[in-house]
Coordinates of all heavy atoms in Angstrom, one line a residue:
T1 N -16.5 62.3 51.3 CA -16.7 61.4 50.2 C -17.0 62.3 49.0 O -17.4 63.5 49.2 CB -17.9 60.4 50.4 OG1 -19.1 61.0 50.5 CG2 -17.6 59.5 51.6
P2 N -16.8 61.8 47.8 CA -16.7 60.4 47.3 C -15.3 59.8 47.7 O -14.3 60.5 47.9 CB -16.8 60.5 45.8 CG -17.4 61.8 45.5 CD -17.0 62.7 46.6
Q3 N -15.3 58.5 47.7 CA -14.2 57.6 47.7 C -14.3 56.7 46.5 O -15.3 56.2 46.3 CB -14.0 56.8 49.0 CG -13.9 57.6 50.3 CD -13.7 56.7 51.5 OE1 -14.3 55.6 51.5 NE2 -12.9 57.1 52.4
T4 N -13.2 56.7 45.7 CA -13.3 56.0 44.4 C -12.2 55.0 44.2 O -11.1 55.2 44.6 CB -13.2 57.1 43.3 OG1 -14.3 58.0 43.5 CG2 -13.4 56.5 41.9
F5 N -12.6 53.9 43.6 CA -11.7 52.7 43.6 C -11.8 52.0 42.3 O -12.9 51.9 41.7 CB -12.0 51.7 44.7 CG -12.2 52.4 46.1 CD1 -13.4 52.7 46.6 CD2 -11.1 52.7 46.8 CE1 -13.6 53.3 47.8 CE2 -11.2 53.3 48.1 CZ -12.5 53.6 48.6
Q6 N -10.7 51.3 41.9 CA -10.8 50.2 41.0 C -11.5 49.1 41.7 O -11.0 48.5 42.6 CB -9.4 49.8 40.5 CG -8.7 50.8 39.6 CD -7.3 50.4 39.2 OE1 -6.8 49.4 39.7 NE2 -6.7 51.2 38.3
A7 N -12.7 48.7 41.2 CA -13.6 47.8 41.9 C -13.0 46.4 42.1 O -13.1 45.8 43.2 CB -14.9 47.7 41.2
L8 N -12.3 45.9 41.1 CA -11.8 44.5 41.2 C -10.7 44.5 42.3 O -10.6 43.6 43.1 CB -11.2 44.1 39.9 CG -10.6 42.7 39.9 CD1 -11.7 41.6 40.3 CD2 -10.1 42.4 38.4
K9 N -9.8 45.6 42.3 CA -8.8 45.6 43.3 C -9.4 45.8 44.7 O -8.9 45.1 45.7 CB -7.9 46.8 43.0 CG -6.6 46.9 43.8 CD -5.7 47.9 43.3 CE -4.3 47.8 43.9 NZ -3.3 48.8 43.4
L10 N -10.4 46.6 44.9 CA -11.0 46.7 46.2 C -11.6 45.4 46.6 O -11.5 45.0 47.8 CB -12.1 47.8 46.1 CG -13.0 47.9 47.4 CD1 -12.1 48.3 48.6 CD2 -14.1 49.0 47.1
K11 N -12.3 44.7 45.7 CA -12.9 43.4 46.1 C -11.8 42.4 46.6 O -12.0 41.8 47.6 CB -13.6 42.8 44.9 CG -14.2 41.4 45.1 CD -14.7 40.8 43.9 CE -15.1 39.3 44.1 NZ -15.5 38.7 42.8
N12 N -10.7 42.3 45.8 CA -9.6 41.4 46.2 C -9.0 41.8 47.5 O -8.7 40.9 48.4 CB -8.6 41.4 45.1 CG -9.1 40.7 43.8 OD1 -10.1 39.9 43.9 ND2 -8.5 41.0 42.7
L13 N -8.8 43.1 47.8 CA -8.2 43.5 49.0 C -9.1 43.2 50.2 O -8.7 42.8 51.2 CB -7.8 45.0 49.0 CG -6.7 45.4 48.1 CD1 -6.5 47.0 48.0 CD2 -5.4 44.8 48.6
Y14 N -10.4 43.5 50.0 CA -11.3 43.3 51.1 C -11.4 41.8 51.4 O -11.4 41.4 52.6 CB -12.7 43.8 50.6 CG -13.8 43.6 51.7 CD1 -13.8 44.5 52.8 CD2 -14.8 42.7 51.7 CE1 -14.7 44.4 53.9 CE2 -15.7 42.6 52.7 CZ -15.7 43.4 53.8 OH -16.6 43.3 54.8
Q15 N -11.4 40.9 50.4 CA -11.5 39.5 50.7 C -10.2 39.0 51.3 O -10.3 37.9 52.0 CB -11.8 38.7 49.4 CG -13.2 39.0 48.8 CD -13.5 38.3 47.5 OE1 -12.6 37.9 46.8 NE2 -14.7 38.1 47.2
S16 N -9.1 39.7 51.2 CA -7.9 39.2 51.9 C -7.8 39.6 53.4 O -6.9 39.2 54.1 CB -6.7 39.9 51.1 OG -6.5 41.2 51.5
L17 N -8.8 40.4 53.8 CA -8.7 40.9 55.2 C -9.2 39.8 56.2 O -10.1 39.0 55.8 CB -9.6 42.1 55.4 CG -9.3 43.4 54.7 CD1 -10.4 44.4 54.9 CD2 -8.0 43.9 55.1
S18 N -8.6 39.8 57.4 CA -9.1 38.9 58.4 C -10.4 39.5 59.0 O -10.7 40.7 58.8 CB -8.1 38.7 59.5 OG -7.9 40.0 60.2
E19 N -11.2 38.7 59.8 CA -12.4 39.3 60.4 C -12.0 40.4 61.4 O -12.7 41.3 61.5 CB -13.1 38.1 61.1 CG -13.9 37.2 60.2 CD -14.8 37.9 59.3 OE1 -15.6 38.8 59.8 OE2 -14.8 37.6 58.1
E20 N -10.8 40.2 62.0 CA -10.4 41.2 63.0 C -10.1 42.5 62.3 O -10.5 43.6 62.8 CB -9.1 40.7 63.7 CG -8.6 41.7 64.8 CD -7.4 41.2 65.5 OE1 -6.9 40.1 65.2 OE2 -6.8 41.9 66.3
E21 N -9.5 42.5 61.1 CA -9.2 43.6 60.3 C -10.5 44.3 59.8 O -10.6 45.5 59.8 CB -8.3 43.3 59.1 CG -6.9 43.0 59.5 CD -6.0 42.5 58.4 OE1 -6.5 41.7 57.5 OE2 -4.9 42.9 58.3
K22 N -11.5 43.5 59.4 CA -12.7 44.0 58.9 C -13.4 44.8 60.0 O -14.1 45.8 59.8 CB -13.6 42.9 58.4 CG -13.2 42.3 57.1 CD -14.1 41.2 56.6 CE -13.6 40.6 55.3 NZ -14.4 39.5 54.9
N23 N -13.3 44.3 61.3 CA -14.0 44.9 62.4 C -13.5 46.3 62.8 O -14.2 47.1 63.5 CB -13.9 44.0 63.6 CG -14.8 42.8 63.5 OD1 -15.8 42.8 62.7 ND2 -14.5 41.7 64.2
I24 N -12.3 46.7 62.3 CA -11.7 48.0 62.7 C -11.9 49.0 61.5 O -11.4 50.1 61.6 CB -10.3 47.9 63.1 CG1 -9.4 47.4 62.0 CG2 -10.1 47.0 64.4 CD1 -7.9 47.5 62.3
L25 N -12.5 48.5 60.5 CA -12.7 49.4 59.3 C -13.7 50.5 59.6 O -14.7 50.3 60.2 CB -13.1 48.6 58.1 CG -12.1 47.7 57.5 CD1 -12.7 46.9 56.3 CD2 -10.9 48.5 56.9
T26 N -13.4 51.7 59.1 CA -14.3 52.8 59.2 C -14.8 53.2 57.8 O -15.9 53.7 57.6 CB -13.7 54.1 59.9 OG1 -12.5 54.4 59.2 CG2 -13.5 53.8 61.3
D27 N -14.0 52.9 56.8 CA -14.4 53.2 55.4 C -13.5 52.4 54.5 O -12.6 51.7 54.9 CB -14.3 54.7 55.1 CG -12.9 55.3 55.2 OD1 -12.0 54.5 54.9 OD2 -12.8 56.4 55.5
A28 N -13.9 52.4 53.2 CA -13.2 51.5 52.2 C -11.7 52.0 51.9 O -10.9 51.2 51.6 CB -14.0 51.5 50.9
A29 N -11.5 53.3 52.0 CA -10.2 53.8 51.8 C -9.1 53.2 52.7 O -8.0 52.9 52.4 CB -10.1 55.3 51.8
K30 N -9.6 52.9 53.9 CA -8.7 52.3 54.9 C -8.2 50.9 54.5 O -7.1 50.5 54.9 CB -9.4 52.3 56.3 CG -8.4 51.9 57.4 CD -9.1 52.1 58.8 CE -8.1 51.9 59.9 NZ -8.6 52.2 61.2
I31 N -9.0 50.2 53.7 CA -8.6 48.9 53.3 C -7.3 49.0 52.4 O -6.3 48.3 52.6 CB -9.7 48.3 52.4 CG1 -11.0 48.1 53.2 CG2 -9.2 46.9 51.8 CD1 -12.2 47.7 52.4
F32 N -7.3 50.0 51.5 CA -6.1 50.3 50.7 C -4.9 50.7 51.6 O -3.7 50.2 51.4 CB -6.4 51.3 49.7 CG -7.1 50.8 48.5 CD1 -8.4 50.5 48.5 CD2 -6.4 50.7 47.2 CE1 -9.1 50.0 47.4 CE2 -7.1 50.2 46.1 CZ -8.4 49.9 46.2
V33 N -5.1 51.6 52.5 CA -4.0 52.0 53.4 C -3.5 50.9 54.2 O -2.3 50.7 54.4 CB -4.5 53.2 54.3 CG1 -3.4 53.6 55.3 CG2 -4.9 54.4 53.5
M34 N -4.4 50.0 54.8 CA -3.9 48.9 55.6 C -3.0 47.9 54.8 O -2.1 47.3 55.3 CB -5.1 48.2 56.1 CG -5.9 48.9 57.3 SD -7.5 48.1 57.6 CE -7.0 46.5 58.2
K35 N -3.3 47.8 53.5 CA -2.6 46.9 52.7 C -1.4 47.6 51.9 O -0.8 47.0 51.0 CB -3.5 46.3 51.6 CG -4.6 45.4 52.3 CD -3.9 44.2 53.0 CE -5.0 43.3 53.7 NZ -4.3 42.1 54.3
G36 N -1.1 48.8 52.4 CA 0.1 49.5 51.8 C -0.1 50.0 50.4 O 0.9 50.3 49.7
E37 N -1.4 50.2 50.0 CA -1.7 50.7 48.6 C -1.8 52.2 48.7 O -2.2 52.8 49.7 CB -2.9 50.1 48.1 CG -2.9 48.6 47.9 CD -2.1 48.2 46.7 OE1 -1.8 49.0 45.9 OE2 -1.7 47.0 46.6
K38 N -1.5 52.9 47.6 CA -1.6 54.4 47.6 C -3.0 54.8 47.4 O -3.8 54.2 46.6 CB -0.7 54.9 46.4 CG 0.8 54.8 46.6 CD 1.6 55.3 45.4 CE 3.0 55.1 45.6 NZ 3.8 55.6 44.5
V39 N -3.4 55.9 48.2 CA -4.7 56.5 48.0 C -4.5 58.0 47.8 O -3.9 58.7 48.6 CB -5.6 56.3 49.3 CG1 -6.9 57.0 49.1 CG2 -5.8 54.8 49.6

C-alpha cells in the first residue's frame, strides 16, 4: 500500500457487489479488477 482511488467510483463499485463477491475480497483494488476497471 498505498492503494488510491476515486472515492465515488470505489463506493459505487463496492455497492454493486454481491455478498458472495464481497466475501472473497482481500483489498479494495480487487474491486476494480473484478469489475474490469484499470488499476
Side-chain angles (χ1 to χ4, degrees):
T1 62
Q3 295 182 328
T4 302
F5 313 99
Q6 290 178 350
L8 182 59
K9 191 170 189 177
L10 174 59
K11 176 188 174 183
N12 291 337
L13 289 175
Y14 184 74
Q15 290 179 342
S16 75
L17 296 174
S18 66
E19 287 304 313
E20 183 179 358
E21 287 174 321
K22 289 179 181 179
N23 289 336
I24 64 171
L25 290 176
T26 51
D27 61 32
K30 189 168 184 175
I31 299 170
F32 279 73
V33 174
M34 288 168 63
K35 293 299 181 178
E37 299 285 344
K38 292 180 180 178
V39 180

